[in-house]
């Protein structure tokens, strides 16, 4: 006679292809085309970028992994020469990927 626990195990979901569901979900994410900003928008963005100082709170919308994403945090490092900004010591963003900066 089979115990109730052993009998119940046969009805548990079985994932023969581990990771398949995660891979399928990743494929479902919509990819966005990168927006090319106008000269005027680029100039405005550069002005805002140059106003930012280390320790400032910012919200940035930028292009990453074929889609636009937002990040809020404290500027932990900024490189005006290379035009890169680091948020909360974790995310480094190139200015060419930024579409909006809110200080």
């Amino acid at each position: 006679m089979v115990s109730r626990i052993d009998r119940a195990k046969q009805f548990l979901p079985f994932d023969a292809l581990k990771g398949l569901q995660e891979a399928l979900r990743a494929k479902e994410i919509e990819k966005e085309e990168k927006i090319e900003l106008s000269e005027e928008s680029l100039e405005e963005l550069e002005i805002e970028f140059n106003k930012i100082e280390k320790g400032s709170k910012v919200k940035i919308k930028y292009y990453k992994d074929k889609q636009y994403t937002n990040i809020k945090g404290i500027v932990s490092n900024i490189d005006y020469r290379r035009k890169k900004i680091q948020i909360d010591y974790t995310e480094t963003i190139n200015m060419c990927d930024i579409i909006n900066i809110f200080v």
Side-chain angles (χ1 to χ4, degrees), residues 21-103:
Q21 292 303 318
E22 290 81 17
L24 290 173
R25 275 188 227 108
K27 286 278 188 189
E28 290 175 1
I29 296 172
E30 276 191 45
K31 293 178 173 70
E32 297 177 82
E33 292 290 321
K34 188 172 181 181
I35 298 169
E36 295 297 323
L37 297 176
S38 68
E39 284 294 319
E40 185 178 296
S41 296
L42 284 171
E43 287 174 15
E44 290 173 14
L45 189 61
E46 189 158 355
I47 290 168
E48 287 301 311
F49 185 84
N50 289 325
K51 289 180 186 176
I52 299 172
E53 296 178 359
K54 192 174 177 178
S56 300
K57 277 187 176 182
V58 293
K59 178 180 178 185
I60 296 176
K61 183 173 184 178
Y62 66 106
Y63 194 70
K64 178 183 177 183
D65 299 328
K66 301 194 188 301
Q67 65 182 21
Y68 282 94
T69 186
N70 291 301
I71 187 170
K72 280 196 231 180
I74 305 293
V75 176
S76 49
N77 196 8
I78 189 160
D79 187 337
Y80 297 102
R81 191 171 52 87
R82 291 190 178 116
K83 297 188 178 190
K84 292 185 178 191
I85 187 169
Q86 186 179 45
I87 308 298
D88 295 331
Y89 296 102
T90 58
E91 190 72 28
T92 301
I93 305 166
N94 291 319
M95 184 166 163
C96 63
D97 294 329
I98 298 173
I99 193 162
N100 280 329
I101 300 174
F102 304 99
V103 183

